[in-house]
Amino acid sequence: MATRRIEYEWHNQPQSAFGVTFRSKEERKWATWLEMLRRCGEIRQWQYEPRQFVFRERYRKRGVYTPDFRIVKPDASVEWHEVKTALRQKDVYKFRQMSLDYPGERLVLVISRPPGRSVKRALLEQRARKYLADVIYSAAIFRRVGIR
C-alpha cells in the first residue's frame, strides 16, 4: 500500500524589517506601527518575542507561550501584544493559562478585524476578552496610516 504525502502551504511567510525576521506579514506591519509610536514618544520601546512564559502543569499538560511583542510604555509599565489574523480555541486556552499563571502581566490581543457576522468568531473573541487587558483591531489602523 502506497503512503500518501500531504504538504501544506503556509500563508505566513517570514518578513524582515528593523533587523528582525518576523513570522508573518501581520507581525511586520504591527512592528512598523510600534516603531511609529516609539518615534512619536507614545511608547519607550518594543521587542519581538523576548520572553517565553512556562505554564504550570494542568490536566497533565504543560505549555510554553511566547507573546509576539513586549511594549514598554512611557510610565515604565509593560504590555504583551499577541498578533493574530484569526482567533482559534487553542489561543483562548493560552490566554487563560497566561492569566492564571502570570496574573500581573497585561496581555493585549491585536487582531485584524472585528468578528462581523461570524457567530463562532464572536464567541471565541468573547471568551478571550475575559483573559485579556484589551483587544486592538489592526486593519483600521494600518489603513489610516498607510501601512502595507
Side-chain angles (χ1 to χ4, degrees):
M1 177 187 240
T3 59
R4 286 191 281 165
R5 182 177 171 159
I6 300 172
E7 293 190 23
Y8 295 98
E9 180 179 327
W10 293 99
H11 296 284
N12 290 335
Q13 299 298 322
Q15 300 272 316
S16 294
F18 311 108
V20 178
T21 301
F22 300 100
R23 295 180 195 275
S24 69
K25 184 177 179 180
E26 199 72 17
E27 289 178 358
R28 183 203 35 89
K29 291 197 275 185
W30 191 247
T32 304
W33 170 246
L34 292 175
E35 186 61 23
M36 291 171 76
L37 291 178
R38 188 190 68 76
R39 289 182 182 167
C40 293
E42 295 291 320
I43 62 173
R44 272 195 199 170
Q45 76 175 96
W46 62 269
Q47 295 173 304
Y48 181 67
E49 295 186 346
R51 178 177 173 193
Q52 286 188 333
F53 292 92
V54 178
F55 299 142
R56 290 190 312 227
E57 189 172 325
R58 284 189 183 82
Y59 313 110
R60 289 186 260 168
K61 186 175 183 177
R62 174 181 228 149
V64 176
Y65 175 53
T66 307
D68 295 323
F69 293 94
R70 178 180 183 261
I71 314 301
V72 180
K73 301 276 187 143
D75 63 355
S77 63
V78 174
E79 280 185 354
W80 298 93
H81 288 196
E82 180 64 35
V83 178
K84 296 284 180 193
T85 53
L87 199 57
R88 296 182 299 181
Q89 183 59 45
K90 74 178 198 172
D91 299 322
V92 176
Y93 174 76
K94 287 179 189 176
F95 302 156
R96 179 176 177 266
Q97 293 297 99
M98 181 79 172
S99 72
L100 291 172
D101 290 350
Y102 300 93
E105 302 289 347
R106 283 182 50 87
L107 184 61
V108 175
L109 172 64
V110 178
I111 193 160
S112 299
R113 52 188 44 92
R117 292 183 175 179
S118 170
V119 174
K120 182 180 176 184
R121 286 181 61 195
L123 285 173
L124 276 175
E125 188 175 308
Q126 182 180 358
R127 282 188 212 128
R129 281 183 181 272
K130 291 189 275 187
Y131 311 113
L132 299 168
D134 198 6
V135 175
I136 299 172
Y137 300 111
S138 60
I141 294 170
F142 297 154
R143 228 181 355 263
R144 207 172 335 144
V145 296
I147 297 175
R148 296 183 187 272

